[in-house]
Amino acid sequence: MAAPVQVSLRIPGTSPMPELLRTIQDVESAGFDGAGILDSQLLCRDTFVTLGQAAGRTSRLTLFPAVTNPFSRHVSVLGGAIQTVAELAPGRTKVVMGTGYTSASTIGRKPATLAEMRQCITELRKLLAGEAVDFQGTPGRLAFARGKPVSLLMAASGPKAIELAGEVADGVMLLVGFHRGIVDAVLTHLEAGARRSGRRLEDLDIIWAVRTGIAPTMAEARRQARPTVVHQGIMRVHSRWLGHTGLQISHFDIPRSVYDIYPDLSHAQDWEQAIAATSFVPDEVIAELCDALGLVGTPEHCARRIIDLTCAGVRSLYVMAFQTFVGPEQEIRTFRDEVFPRLKAAGYR
């Protein structure tokens, strides 16, 4: 019998709270296994307030910030927030830590370093276990720690970050692409990190974050994917993994209009503007990038790709709709009505 695939959905906190909470309830009703709440302080409602409210309105969903970071909140504040949500949703709370992309860029600072990530995860684990942390010579404990630490995962995309996650975190959320060649290469790095702390891949919670766009036609899905795959595959470090897919992407000069998108190309407030700004990349290149980096296409195509990737060891997905300023209602409906039934028929739900 096929092993089930766990599927969580990214929830941007950019909608008003009543609407946001209804969306999270719809995520649970649609059959998703978890909901990750975006944490970007100038773009979204407060992540931990949202998680706390969601805890009382759901009964089954795993709830987690996706992703929080080491600098928006002092580690002592972060530990208290995590433990508070864990009391409201016992047994279904975890945390994903990242370097903070838009959280950093929108306040004019750089993302956290890997050294800062290591320190934050180490200190959080101690606080949540009820142990003391040295705060500049002052030992501090979380007074209401339960001694049952919440699972701490690290978001990672580059080789060094992936190895660090394997070494120090309870698991990893990987934003690297969605291709058999990439999966094999990434797991090699993750295993190397796990070995440093005497662990195996089987000891880790491995989540594959995949940018997702489903439409009635392949052409429309790929058009909608343009800002995301150009950002991932041409402008950012994620392109380092494309070599493992056999693709050879030509160099492109990035026009000024791309850099003028607020807050950046992959989180654009005006998605049609962002699509237009990527017109310098031909359709055939976009199609190749979609197949390597995302889950993009018709419902049937996307369900088939999920099933195919399980053969490479993919067992947990974090589905990230393209747009940050538009809720994932379309993805909720499409997975509920078309993707999940196909996975269930194949034995993967």
Side-chain angles (χ1 to χ4, degrees):
M1 181 178 176
V5 178
Q6 299 290 304
V7 184
S8 297
L9 183 65
R10 173 183 181 255
I11 310 294
T14 50
S15 302
M17 281 298 290
E19 180 181 332
L20 185 58
L21 294 171
R22 285 194 298 271
T23 297
I24 295 171
Q25 290 177 304
D26 289 343
V27 170
E28 181 169 73
S29 298
F32 287 89
D33 302 289
I37 311 300
L38 186 63
D39 186 10
S40 189
Q41 69 281 344
L42 290 180
L43 306 184
C44 305
R45 275 64 179 174
D46 183 86
T47 301
F48 288 99
V49 172
T50 303
L51 287 167
Q53 291 289 314
R57 288 168 169 78
T58 57
S59 60
R60 183 185 53 79
L61 277 182
T62 296
L63 301 169
F64 51 97
V67 297
T68 192
N69 62 73
F71 56 81
S72 293
R73 303 168 186 84
H74 189 273
V75 68
S76 62
V77 177
L78 190 55
I82 293 166
Q83 184 60 54
T84 301
V85 174
E87 290 182 10
L88 295 169
R92 55 190 186 97
T93 302
K94 60 186 175 185
V95 177
V96 185
M97 296 289 304
T99 58
Y101 186 65
T102 57
S103 296
S105 66
T106 54
I107 58 173
R109 66 153 287 166
K110 294 181 179 179
T113 64
L114 293 185
E116 290 170 330
M117 292 293 296
R118 177 189 291 273
Q119 179 180 356
C120 185
I121 291 172
T122 301
E123 291 180 348
L124 271 177
R125 179 171 285 115
K126 289 182 177 180
L127 289 171
L128 293 170
E131 300 174 13
V133 170
D134 187 327
F135 296 114
Q136 298 180 329
T138 300
R141 288 183 173 85
L142 190 61
F144 51 98
R146 294 296 181 90
K148 296 180 179 179
V150 175
S151 182
L152 301 176
L153 284 71
M154 179 175 157
S157 58
K160 291 182 180 179
I162 291 168
E163 291 183 16
L164 177 62
E167 179 185 354
V168 304
D170 299 312
V172 62
M173 178 178 282
L174 296 158
L175 181 55
V176 291
F178 202 58
H179 184 280
R180 177 62 186 260
I182 292 175
V183 169
D184 291 342
V186 166
L187 289 179
T188 298
H189 285 280
L190 187 61
E191 186 174 29
R195 283 200 302 267
R196 294 175 192 164
S197 55
R199 298 187 296 176
R200 307 167 302 159
L201 287 179
E202 292 81 3
D203 300 322
L204 302 175
D205 184 3
I206 305 172
I207 302 174
W208 299 87
V210 56
R211 299 306 295 262
T212 302
I214 303 178
T217 67
M218 294 294 292
E220 177 57 20
R222 288 167 174 167
R223 189 187 79 88
Q224 289 288 331
R226 275 183 159 272
T228 296
V229 298
V230 169
H231 191 253
Q232 275 190 268
I234 294 175
M235 296 177 64
R236 295 200 67 202
V237 295
H238 304 78
S239 60
R240 77 179 75 214
W241 300 109
L242 286 176
H244 298 284
T245 71
L247 288 184
Q248 293 184 341
I249 303 298
S250 301
H251 171 76
F252 290 94
D253 293 322
I254 311 298
R256 182 69 249 173
S257 60
V258 170
Y259 295 104
D260 290 338
I261 300 291
Y262 180 82
D264 60 66
L265 185 63
S266 70
H267 297 89
Q269 268 187 305
D270 187 333
W271 201 248
E272 288 298 325
Q273 178 191 14
I275 291 172
T278 64
S279 60
F280 66 97
V281 182
D283 286 344
E284 58 269 22
V285 175
I286 295 295
E288 291 178 328
L289 289 172
C290 285
D291 290 342
L293 296 176
L295 188 61
V296 180
T298 63
E300 181 180 10
H301 174 81
C302 291
R304 186 168 61 249
R305 289 207 66 216
I306 292 171
I307 293 169
D308 289 345
L309 265 292
T310 62
C311 298
V314 173
R315 289 291 180 268
S316 182
L317 293 180
Y318 179 55
V319 172
M320 305 169 67
F322 296 141
Q323 296 200 54
T324 299
F325 292 90
V326 173
E329 286 78 16
Q330 178 182 335
E331 287 72 25
I332 293 171
R333 291 191 300 270
T334 304
F335 270 81
R336 180 193 65 203
D337 298 339
E338 301 193 62
V339 177
F340 286 153
R342 285 181 167 90
L343 295 181
K344 185 175 182 180
Y348 290 93
R349 292 293 289 177

